[in-house]
């Protein structure tokens, strides 16, 4: 086999890898692997990812998401140290740490996925309320549902997933993620997910560690 043929094979492999990257309606998403399918949920392995995030506290997911979304969107539209505009990505995720006391507040952390082509050198946010997160490879229990999700829907689906994985001690039920894949203006065929991270080791037994 000649050098030209070898180069052609290598080039075709590179092109195949590029075109195989995850997209949803033309928007970059995360290339995950399904490692287990169960009744009403599945287990997924995700690669290392980079996110730009911001956080707030309060009683309302809807209000928190609206406030945080504006800040994160501004970052992608060049409000960053490099003046770089970034392509849209999906999903948009929000980490929710529920409040279990009378005087505490629920913690929300919303994140936009940084595109792969700039993930290694993500520009520093100019807004001090934003920060860059680099997540290592992780495994999640994931429940998928459709429709235009309301705050009640997210809460009910998180409780449903917590119930489904109740007997799995490796799933951290003290918090969860909401993940939505479609822009607000899309009315139909929407995809929503609830994620719960699986720990590498079973957690210690505590008196109260579930969102249920």
């Amino acid at each position: 086999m000649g050098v030209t043929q070898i180069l052609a094979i290598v080039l075709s492999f590179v092109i195949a890898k590029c075109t195989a990257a995850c997209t949803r309606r033309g928007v970059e998403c995360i290339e995950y692997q399904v490692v287990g399918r169960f009744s009403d949920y599945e287990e997924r392995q995700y690669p290392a990812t980079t996110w730009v995030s911001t956080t707030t506290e309060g009683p309302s997911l809807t209000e928190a998401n609206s406030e945080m979304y504006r800040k994160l969107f501004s970052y992608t539209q060049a409000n960053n140290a490099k003046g770089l505009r970034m392509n849209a990505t999906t999903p948009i995720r929000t980490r929710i740490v529920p409040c279990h006391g009378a005087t505490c507040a629920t913690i929300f952390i919303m994140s936009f996925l940084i595109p792969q082509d700039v993930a290694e050198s993500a520009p520093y946010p100019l807004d001090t309320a934003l920060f860059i997160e680099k997540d290592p490879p992780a495994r999640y229990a994931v429940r998928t549902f459709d429709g235009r999700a309301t705050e009640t829907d997210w809460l009910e689906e998180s409780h449903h997933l917590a119930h489904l994985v109740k007997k799995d001690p490796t799933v951290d039920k003290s918090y969860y993620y909401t993940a939505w894949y479609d822009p607000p203006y899309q009315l139909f065929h929407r995809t929503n997910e609830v994620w719960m991270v699986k720990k590498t080791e079973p957690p210690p037994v505590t008196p109260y560690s579930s969102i249920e």
Side-chain angles (χ1 to χ4, degrees):
M1 182 180 296
V3 174
T4 302
Q5 290 176 300
I6 294 174
L7 290 175
I9 292 173
V10 171
L11 180 60
S12 64
F13 177 79
V14 170
I15 293 173
K17 290 290 284 183
C18 291
T19 57
C22 177
T23 59
R24 176 179 170 80
R25 295 190 175 96
V27 176
E28 180 182 329
C29 50
I30 308 171
E31 191 92 37
Y32 61 80
Q33 179 184 6
V34 177
V35 295
R37 287 189 171 90
F38 307 93
S39 176
D40 296 328
Y41 79 100
E42 63 186 17
E43 188 174 313
R44 299 177 184 170
Q45 179 65 42
Y46 280 77
T49 47
T50 303
W51 307 77
V52 58
S53 305
T54 189
T55 185
T56 190
E57 297 182 3
S60 170
L61 171 62
T62 302
E63 292 179 8
N65 274 348
S66 178
E67 172 191 338
M68 294 186 292
Y69 183 93
R70 288 193 298 270
K71 295 178 181 179
L72 294 169
F73 182 75
S74 177
Y75 169 86
T76 66
Q77 300 304 297
N79 187 25
N80 55 68
K82 295 182 180 178
L84 178 66
R85 288 184 177 271
M86 299 181 196
N87 293 329
T89 57
T90 194
I92 293 172
R93 75 177 191 187
T94 302
R95 177 172 174 168
I96 301 175
V97 185
C99 169
H100 295 301
T103 59
C104 64
T106 298
I107 299 171
F108 304 101
I109 306 172
M110 178 181 270
S111 304
F112 280 16
L113 178 69
I114 299 291
Q116 283 189 354
D117 60 349
V118 296
E120 290 301 318
S121 57
Y124 188 78
L126 296 179
D127 185 340
T128 57
L130 274 57
F131 51 95
I132 300 296
E133 292 188 283
K134 289 187 175 290
D135 288 2
R139 187 164 294 194
Y140 297 92
V142 179
R143 176 167 169 77
T144 303
F145 63 102
D146 58 14
R148 182 174 288 277
T150 64
E151 191 155 347
T152 300
D153 293 330
W154 287 118
L155 185 60
E156 289 178 351
E157 292 295 337
S158 69
H159 285 170
H160 194 170
L161 179 58
H163 177 74
L164 292 170
V165 298
K166 185 175 182 179
K167 295 183 179 180
D168 186 344
T170 67
V171 176
D172 189 340
K173 307 171 190 72
S174 64
Y175 68 95
Y176 62 96
Y177 292 95
T178 65
W180 40 286
Y181 285 78
D182 305 291
Y185 57 77
Q186 184 171 315
L187 301 180
F188 305 104
H189 308 296
R190 300 179 64 85
T191 297
N192 314 297
E193 293 175 345
V194 175
W195 302 354
M196 289 183 177
V197 69
K198 287 180 66 73
K199 304 181 210 179
T200 55
E201 297 180 0
V205 176
T206 57
Y208 198 98
S209 62
S210 173
I211 67 168
E212 293 185 291

